[in-house]
Amino acid sequence: AAYETEIVCADGLFAELKVTVRFSASVITQRIRLTAEEPQLEFITEVEWQERPRLLRVSFDTGIDADSADHQIQFGFLSRPAHRSRRYDEDRFEVPAHAWTALRDAAHGAAVLNDCKYGVSAEDGVIGLSLLRSPTYPDAEADRGFHRFIYAYRAWDGPMEMSGLAEAAETAYIFHAGTKLDEQGNFLNNGGRVLGATAIAPSLKEAINGAYA
């Protein structure tokens, strides 16, 4: 792979590093940002993905020894094992989560947040997040094309109440993907494939309305 780096901003309200990675037929561009107000590192990512079959994941070694991980769900969070000591835990490659997954102990914690990815793993202090995959069945073109998403790594000292996760998750909007319609209400397609219409909003109803606006 070929790497290019550029310092976009070195001081002020935030510092930002731009990284471009080219490998195979794909290009990944990331703006890695650290703001002055939030204890988290943001990865603003754009990908031209042309792989098959290949899975793109990111992982963060938190250094936290925890038996379970907290996964944000609607109206709260759910704790699941962060080990593979039992057979059914070993067979479980990843689990679903919404805006964040966290590992914590009595003294500190760390979390990975994201705006539209839902497959995560947690084992031996490492949080992993699946970003893109390119299966060949049932859609041979699945995930191929341009993508834009954001994920972040956040750390804190003290109990969960000191993490600021609830406030940070409020900025993770709900995503909706549907089919695109023309002005007459007909489905638009390209070579037989339906074009996608996507939108983000604070609620599912607003996201659906935005997708078909």
Side-chain angles (χ1 to χ4, degrees), residues 96-177:
H98 285 185
W100 54 263
T101 290
L103 290 170
R104 57 191 172 101
D105 55 25
H108 53 286
V112 174
L113 302 91
N114 79 95
D115 65 343
C116 63
K117 304 299 178 182
Y118 305 104
V120 296
S121 62
E123 182 182 9
D124 296 333
V126 178
I127 299 175
L129 177 67
S130 291
L131 302 176
L132 291 171
R133 63 192 191 98
S134 43
T136 57
Y137 183 85
D139 183 359
E141 302 297 320
D143 275 1
R144 298 187 73 189
F146 180 78
H147 300 265
R148 187 181 190 278
F149 48 85
I150 302 172
Y151 60 91
Y153 180 77
R154 187 181 186 92
W156 67 91
D157 292 324
M160 176 74 91
E161 292 75 17
M162 302 291 292
S163 67
L165 275 178
E167 293 78 10
E170 290 179 357
T171 62
Y173 288 92
I174 295 172
F175 168 84
H176 173 76

Side-chain angles (χ1 to χ4, degrees), residues 22-84:
R22 292 178 172 84
F23 68 96
S24 186
S26 300
V27 181
I28 302 174
T29 302
Q30 287 193 310
R31 289 182 287 131
I32 305 172
R33 178 179 296 178
L34 181 64
T35 68
E37 298 179 349
E38 294 291 337
Q40 67 183 32
L41 195 62
E42 300 174 352
F43 298 81
I44 304 165
T45 308
E46 294 182 347
V47 183
E48 181 59 44
W49 187 249
Q50 297 296 335
E51 307 304 310
R52 72 168 91 175
R54 180 173 286 178
L55 175 65
L56 180 66
R57 301 190 87 235
V58 64
S59 60
F60 295 89
D61 190 346
T62 68
I64 297 174
D65 184 14
D67 290 333
S68 62
D70 299 324
H71 305 274
Q72 196 252 353
I73 59 174
Q74 189 176 26
F75 308 125
F77 65 87
L78 180 66
S79 296
R80 294 189 175 99
H83 55 78
R84 300 291 185 269

